[in-house]
Structures are given as C-alpha cells and as structure tokens.
Amino acid sequence: MSQTPGPRPDVLTDPAVESLLQDTTPWLSCEECFERMDTYAEAAVHDPQHLDEAMTAHLRGCSACDEEAQSLIDLLRAS
Ligand SMILES: [Zn+2]
C-alpha cells in the first residue's frame, strides 16, 4: 500500500465533516464504519483524491474493519 500525500480534498471543508472531526472521539463506531464502507471502498478505487478522514482513522485503529475494507477494495478492483 502506498500513501499518496497531496492537497487536501474539498470534502474536508464540508461542515458535516468538520463537526465530525471536531468531535472528541473522531473515530466512527464499527457500525457507522460498516454503513460507510461501500462508499469508502468505491471512492478508494474510483476516486483516489477522495479522503474520508473519519474512516481512515477508524480503519487505522480497527483491524477488523480494516481487513473488511481492504477485501472490499480488492473485490472492487478485481471487477
Ligand atoms: Zn471497526
């Protein structure tokens, strides 16, 4: 896996995202993570500029969801 440093996408200026990032517990619950996983995986495959910081933070700390997301991404890449 290669991390691509680059300009921060516009999505971070979204008020909803900002309020989420300002939360004292920015990590999503696993339930919320699963709800967003399809979108996250699609974006990871089709829109490399897309960055979902809350998802990234959760996946960094939750290996169960991380594996799930990776296999979903692999699946989408293979299709
Ligand atoms: Zn999780």
Side-chain angles (χ1 to χ4, degrees):
M1 288 307 124
S2 66
Q3 301 250 331
T4 314
R8 302 205 148 214
D10 292 337
V11 68
L12 289 181
T13 59
D14 187 301
V17 174
E18 258 179 23
S19 71
L20 207 133
L21 292 175
Q22 280 161 9
D23 196 309
T24 48
T25 54
W27 285 14
L28 303 169
S29 68
C30 287
E31 201 177 326
E32 288 169 315
C33 179
F34 270 110
E35 279 171 16
R36 296 165 70 144
M37 199 169 278
D38 281 357
T39 310
Y40 175 83
E42 290 251 357
V45 174
H46 299 296
D47 183 10
Q49 294 301 307
H50 178 89
L51 181 64
D52 187 333
E53 290 232 313
M55 281 293 283
T56 306
H58 181 90
L59 296 181
R60 207 179 287 140
C62 181
S63 57
C65 290
D66 190 42
E67 279 176 30
E68 191 71 25
Q70 275 308 319
S71 57
L72 196 59
I73 288 167
D74 289 346
L75 203 77
L76 287 171
R77 284 218 171 104
S79 62

